[in-house]
Amino acid sequence: MFLRVTSEDAHGDGKGGEARRGGGRTRLIRAAGALVACGFVLAMAGAGWAYWHLNQNIKSVDIDGALGSDRPARTVTTPAPSASASPLPSGALNLLVLGSDSRSGRANAALGGGDSSGARSDTAMVVHVDAGRAGATVVSIPRDTLVTRPSCPLPSGGTTAVAYSSMFNSAYSVGGPACAVKTVESMTGIRMDHYLEIDFSGFAKLVDTLGGITVTTDQDIDDDKSHLHLRAGTHRLDGEQALALARTRHGIGDGSDLGRIGLQQKVVKALLEQIASSKLLTDPTALYRVADAITGSLTTDTGLDSLPELVRFAQSLQGLTSQNMKTVMMPVVPAASDHDRVVAKEPAASTLWESLR
């Protein structure tokens, strides 16, 4: 069977061929437009889901509601003039940052969280950010410090009794974040503007998501309890190793909490340096993974419990680098009643807190 093609069919009659070709182009343009529109809708849906997921990740506690007005006064700062309709906050502020050895969850237990009976504040740091937010002082509080723990509200209702010569980290165990904040404020006379807490598995996941951190140790570390064995020198650590370094104490110094604090401060600085060196703003996938790791393990006060608030807070700190961060430990001396515990060394401790008000 043969198909006969006439010259009119082949070359068009001046209208039909052009119409068919024009129709083809129109259909092609419409199809391309539909694909673009579908892609846009899917991208918006994906962005919406990502926003919802990150926002839902964040856990919070109402510190202000729990503690009421029985607290030190807030630091009053005058913001610098700005042409922006909504300038970023630039005043000085104080944060209590806790690393929690939570027992809840399989991931935390696998990293040394123990049974599921509770949690302790394994790491405690008061972070004072200077006005202008380009410099900061990080003060570590030894968890074995004996303090007067004030009466604290309990999540289940009621209050705890005042406890004298109580270990600092018992505040979190007894009354949770609100009691930890109230104890720090009682010790320092400084209002904590915000509260941040990260747990075992969250910290390890964050380090892994960033591709590890680089830390230099000044001495060999052999700690069977934290499963960490490192020669003195520079090391690239994954999440589990970084967590072990922040928790180790039996393989260094006298085995007390004081030796561990220096390592914790090294780890914090290394983490900040890794975040600063990562090109997260040019890699949306990497940025999302880091944001997911942070928000998924974070507990905040209600002033930072949404994604917009956290982003705004982070943007206000964009000028802060590890080089502009001073790390110190609260001055302490061995306790007379128990040489395995420490107490604040006075007047040095009071002088330090006064300098941060």
Side-chain angles (χ1 to χ4, degrees):
M1 177 179 178
F2 296 95
L3 180 63
R4 186 165 65 91
V5 180
T6 65
S7 60
E8 287 185 351
D9 291 324
H11 303 290
D13 59 1
K15 293 182 181 180
E18 289 296 330
R20 282 192 291 273
R21 285 196 293 273
R25 284 195 297 271
T26 300
R27 286 193 296 273
L28 183 61
I29 292 170
R30 287 175 179 170
L35 286 174
V36 171
C38 287
F40 178 76
V41 170
L42 288 173
M44 292 299 293
W49 180 89
Y51 177 91
W52 177 87
H53 176 72
L54 295 176
N55 208 54
Q56 290 295 112
N57 268 350
I58 304 167
K59 301 178 289 293
S60 68
V61 289
D62 186 2
I63 302 291
D64 289 338
L67 299 185
S69 60
D70 184 21
R71 306 177 66 185
R74 291 187 186 276
T75 301
V76 178
T77 57
T78 303
S82 173
S84 170
S86 181
L88 291 171
S90 59
L93 79 161
N94 300 289
L95 307 90
L96 176 60
V97 179
L98 296 185
S100 168
D101 66 342
S102 172
R103 266 75 169 156
S104 63
R106 188 178 303 172
N108 282 322
L111 291 168
D115 58 41
S116 58
S117 60
R120 297 168 300 177
S121 52
D122 205 47
T123 303
M125 298 178 178
V126 172
V127 180
H128 172 80
V129 181
D130 300 334
R133 306 202 177 179
T137 301
V138 180
V139 183
S140 295
I141 302 175
R143 70 176 192 174
D144 295 339
T145 304
L146 297 181
V147 301
T148 297
R149 191 180 70 226
S151 175
C152 295
L154 292 171
S156 58
T159 58
T160 66
V162 176
Y164 300 95
S165 296
S166 179
M167 278 181 56
F168 169 75
N169 72 337
S170 70
Y172 184 93
S173 300
V174 169
C179 194
V181 169
K182 187 164 187 178
T183 300
V184 168
E185 291 182 343
S186 177
M187 291 169 56
T188 65
I190 300 173
R191 172 77 168 245
M192 295 297 109
D193 298 295
H194 290 298
Y195 170 83
L196 295 172
E197 176 190 330
I198 189 167
D199 64 22
F200 271 0
S201 63
F203 175 81
K205 181 180 178 182
L206 175 59
V207 173
D208 283 336
T209 302
L210 289 166
I213 59 174
T214 301
V215 174
T216 299
T217 58
D218 302 321
Q219 62 186 94
D220 295 346
I221 298 174
D222 280 303
D223 188 351
D224 290 331
K225 291 194 174 182
S226 66
H227 309 293
L228 186 67
H229 303 279
L230 293 176
R231 294 293 184 189
T234 300
H235 304 274
R236 188 71 177 177
L237 306 180
D238 64 18
E240 188 170 350
Q241 291 170 320
L243 178 63
L245 183 64
R247 299 186 67 231
T248 193
R249 63 174 178 170
H250 298 286
I252 56 171
D254 60 0
S256 72
D257 193 46
L258 306 186
R260 171 166 57 183
I261 283 175
L263 295 177
Q264 290 174 345
Q265 292 173 342
K266 282 180 181 285
V267 168
V268 169
K269 282 195 168 185
L271 184 62
L272 291 176
E273 288 167 358
Q274 183 61 36
I275 291 173
S277 66
S278 300
K279 298 179 180 179
L280 298 178
L281 295 181
T282 60
D283 188 344
T285 302
L287 178 61
Y288 174 79
R289 286 198 300 264
V290 170
D292 189 36
I294 293 174
T295 58
S297 59
L298 198 65
T299 300
T300 74
D301 63 280
T302 49
L304 293 175
D305 64 350
S306 73
L307 199 56
E309 288 165 336
L310 273 179
V311 169
R312 182 174 168 80
F313 175 68
Q315 288 174 331
S316 78
L317 300 177
Q318 59 189 347
L320 181 61
T321 67
S322 62
Q323 288 74 30
N324 298 330
M325 183 177 292
K326 180 181 178 182
T327 55
V328 298
M329 183 178 71
M330 183 183 80
V332 294
V333 294
S337 59
D338 184 349
H339 282 198
D340 289 333
R341 303 288 181 256
V342 296
V343 294
K345 180 181 179 180
E346 296 296 358
S350 293
T351 300
L352 172 62
W353 298 127
E354 180 65 31
S355 71
L356 302 182
R357 292 188 189 124

